[in-house]
Amino acid sequence: MNEQDDDRDGGCGAGCGCGTPGREQFVSISRPSDAPSTAGAGATDRHTIEQAVIPAGTFVMGDSSGDRNAGDGEVPLHEVTLGSFSIDATSVTNDDFARFVDATGYATEAETFGFSAVFHLALAAPEEDILGQPPGTPWWFGVKGADWRHPGGRNSSLAGLGDHPVVHVSWNDVQAYCDWAGRRLPTEAEWEYAARGGLDQKKYPWGDEEPDAGGTWRANIWQGGFPGTNTLEDGYLTTAPVRTFEPNGYGLWQPIGNVWEWCADWFDPNYYRASPAANPTGPIRGGSRILRGGSYLCHISYCNRYRNSARSQNTPDSSMGNAGFRTVSR
């Protein structure tokens, strides 16, 4: 497949408001050298999330809609062939992650660094806990005490959020979970193929209709004027339970919207030009890891990364209140 290589600017670059601010954008805090870790791969029965079995096949990877963002590398369009695999039907939830932490004593990087990124309307902490703000995206706060157990800061908790996706987990944290559970992160190609749900070259998991077509919302994204007013038409300011809205044709719930999902690959905006045709695994090195799917902060007025082909990135040690993960079988 061929496609012109120029990207249209959708209004935001890496680290945008709907995306994922890197840890370095706030303050420099050294990680303690004695952070707990897990050892070895765990048994697969530790991971109890329902699986969606994805058939082997070939699909067209990349943006077919023309709504790509400049610099993200969503083109050229190219055919990719994948073997069959199974993937979590939902994002990993707070309850799922709690079982891992209870079993291992693992401390996330947000906990060991002492802070994480919180969207300003989700803040639940005193003003003195705000450590910094990225100059280009002042609606993000670096918040002391924000972590997966305290998603808005120290005055928040997981009460009522057991079936919501875990957030404030870095790529390194989710690798630790995968090691314990006997799982792995999906490659970027696997993630996109599964998210499409069998609908090749479509914009969204359900087709080309916009998320609010027909007056019923199909994804947890922003409504209203970003970043100050969310009209909550879909019912959620931040995360939604993982089994909200309708699953796609392969049985995946909310592959777009709700939370960004970490993938295994390093990010390179030029990778598609040299990607192998079968089972690509991304560049062999890089400075940031791929995130896919968009989140509850995405809005078409300035950033439309809640599409099947949309890409984002962040450093492996970064964590924030709108990013989580799902896993695949090894």
Side-chain angles (χ1 to χ4, degrees):
M1 299 294 295
N2 294 316
E3 175 75 358
Q4 62 185 17
D5 290 350
D6 61 308
D7 283 341
R8 283 196 335 178
D9 187 355
C12 64
C16 69
C18 69
T20 53
R23 188 172 299 281
E24 73 283 352
Q25 293 178 262
F26 297 105
V27 295
S28 177
I29 298 177
S30 297
R31 184 184 183 187
S33 60
D34 59 348
S37 63
T38 57
T44 55
D45 61 2
R46 293 173 174 173
H47 184 80
T48 60
I49 296 175
E50 178 188 358
Q51 296 297 291
V53 178
I54 311 301
T58 299
F59 77 108
V60 177
M61 189 169 182
D63 173 54
S64 300
S65 70
D67 289 335
R68 65 192 70 111
N69 287 295
D72 285 353
E74 293 184 58
V75 290
L77 294 175
H78 55 293
E79 287 190 343
V80 172
T81 299
L82 296 172
S84 178
F85 59 97
S86 65
I87 187 170
D88 295 338
T90 71
S91 303
V92 173
T93 68
N94 287 311
D95 283 347
D96 297 319
F97 198 77
R99 291 193 302 106
F100 157 61
V101 171
D102 289 346
T104 64
Y106 182 82
T108 62
E109 292 195 299
E111 291 169 295
T112 57
F113 277 112
F115 76 102
S116 191
V118 176
F119 183 65
H120 74 114
L121 294 184
L123 181 68
E127 186 175 351
E128 59 265 27
D129 284 357
I130 300 175
L131 302 178
Q133 296 170 262
T137 53
W139 44 86
W140 279 110
F141 297 152
V143 178
K144 180 181 178 181
D147 55 48
W148 75 276
R149 289 188 179 92
H150 309 93
R154 62 165 141 161
N155 293 339
S156 63
S157 73
L158 294 181
L161 301 179
D163 62 346
H164 287 231
V166 65
V167 293
H168 295 293
V169 286
S170 70
W171 188 92
N172 295 325
D173 295 331
V174 304
Q175 284 294 114
Y177 176 94
C178 288
D179 287 346
W180 171 78
R183 306 284 292 179
R184 64 176 176 86
L185 285 175
T187 66
E188 183 179 19
E190 288 172 336
W191 189 98
E192 184 171 325
Y193 182 47
R196 290 183 177 277
L199 301 179
D200 204 22
Q201 293 188 266
K202 296 297 184 182
K203 192 173 179 179
Y204 303 117
W206 55 83
D208 289 325
E209 300 84 7
E210 292 304 314
D212 61 344
T216 300
W217 284 92
R218 306 187 193 192
N220 178 16
I221 57 176
W222 188 272
Q223 298 92 44
F226 187 88
T229 303
N230 190 331
T231 58
L232 304 179
E233 294 167 32
D234 64 7
Y236 303 98
L237 175 65
T238 60
T239 58
V242 294
R243 291 178 179 269
T244 305
F245 309 107
E246 295 293 328
N248 73 4
Y250 286 154
L252 271 69
W253 296 78
Q254 298 191 84
I256 70 162
N258 214 20
V259 294
W260 286 98
E261 295 180 353
W262 289 106
C263 291
D265 310 36
W266 290 108
F267 173 76
D268 181 347
N270 298 311
Y271 181 69
Y272 285 6
R273 295 182 175 92
S275 175
N279 299 307
T281 56
I284 61 174
R285 64 180 62 89
S288 58
R289 297 285 185 174
I290 288 285
L291 291 130
R292 284 301 204 108
S295 81
Y296 57 81
L297 295 182
C298 281
H299 190 265
I300 199 167
S301 68
Y302 75 103
C303 173
N304 58 354
R305 283 193 176 96
Y306 50 93
R307 296 170 288 105
N308 289 327
S309 65
R311 312 172 79 204
S312 192
Q313 56 166 309
N314 212 334
T315 56
D317 65 346
S318 291
S319 62
M320 64 294 303
N322 67 336
F325 69 110
R326 71 179 76 209
T327 72
V328 300
S329 57
R330 284 181 170 174

